[in-house]
């Protein structure tokens, strides 16, 4: 994790993962919610797939270091790839979940609306 309450925790410069594979925000399960007014170490390791996303859903959301929303299937290897910063773990393309941004949705609606006229 990049965030650490300890002063000797990891530094931003130590991240070697590409920005599109480095999470700056992750969706945690309601049972693992963190009070943003009093943050603490986010998760004790090891983490479980149930710690992420909504219950009974196959994936979870995160925002990457390019500030793009991403979705990925809940597997221990995907969670490790999203949470670590050393560049060794990979997310299989088949495990990515398409997330459409509001801009993309509006562009589609405008394009479809223009076709109907």
């Amino acid at each position: 994790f990049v965030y650490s309450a300890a002063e000797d925790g990891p530094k931003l410069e130590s991240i070697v993962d590409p920005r599109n594979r480095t999470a700056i925000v992750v969706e945690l399960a309601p049972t693992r919610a963190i009070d943003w007014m009093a943050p603490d170490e986010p998760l004790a390791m090891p983490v479980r797939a149930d710690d992420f996303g909504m219950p009974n859903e196959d994936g979870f959301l995160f925002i990457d270091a390019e500030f793009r929303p991403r979705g990925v299937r809940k597997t221990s290897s995907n969670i490790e790839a999203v949470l670590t910063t050393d560049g060794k773990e990979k997310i299989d393309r088949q495990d990515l979940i398409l997330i459409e941004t509001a801009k993309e949705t509006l562009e589609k609606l405008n394009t479809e609306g223009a076709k109907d006229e």
Side-chain angles (χ1 to χ4, degrees):
F1 298 107
V2 174
Y3 169 79
S4 177
E7 287 185 27
D8 62 345
K11 304 292 182 236
L12 194 56
E13 307 86 54
S14 68
I15 299 173
V16 296
D17 269 351
R19 290 183 302 194
N20 67 347
R21 286 189 299 214
T22 300
I24 57 171
V25 176
V26 295
E27 176 189 26
L28 293 176
T31 56
R32 297 303 302 255
I34 297 170
D35 181 356
W36 66 274
M37 292 293 290
D40 197 357
E41 290 293 334
L43 295 171
M45 293 301 252
V47 294
R48 303 178 337 257
D50 290 343
D51 292 335
F52 297 87
M54 298 305 291
N56 304 318
E57 288 188 359
D58 188 35
F60 69 98
L61 301 173
F62 68 97
I63 297 174
D64 69 18
E66 293 180 341
F67 298 97
R68 292 185 299 188
R70 302 262 184 190
V72 68
R73 300 211 186 290
K74 289 187 213 179
T75 66
S76 57
S77 61
N78 286 340
I79 290 167
E80 185 176 350
V82 168
L83 295 181
T84 60
T85 59
D86 60 9
K88 295 178 185 170
E89 304 83 11
K90 303 286 186 226
I91 298 173
D92 288 331
R93 283 192 181 276
Q94 67 197 27
D95 286 343
L96 292 172
I97 300 168
L98 178 65
I99 303 293
E100 196 170 86
T101 65
K103 179 181 176 185
E104 292 167 333
T105 301
L106 287 173
E107 287 172 355
K108 279 185 181 177
L109 290 172
N110 289 336
T111 303
E112 290 170 6
K115 289 179 186 175
D116 292 340
E117 293 176 359

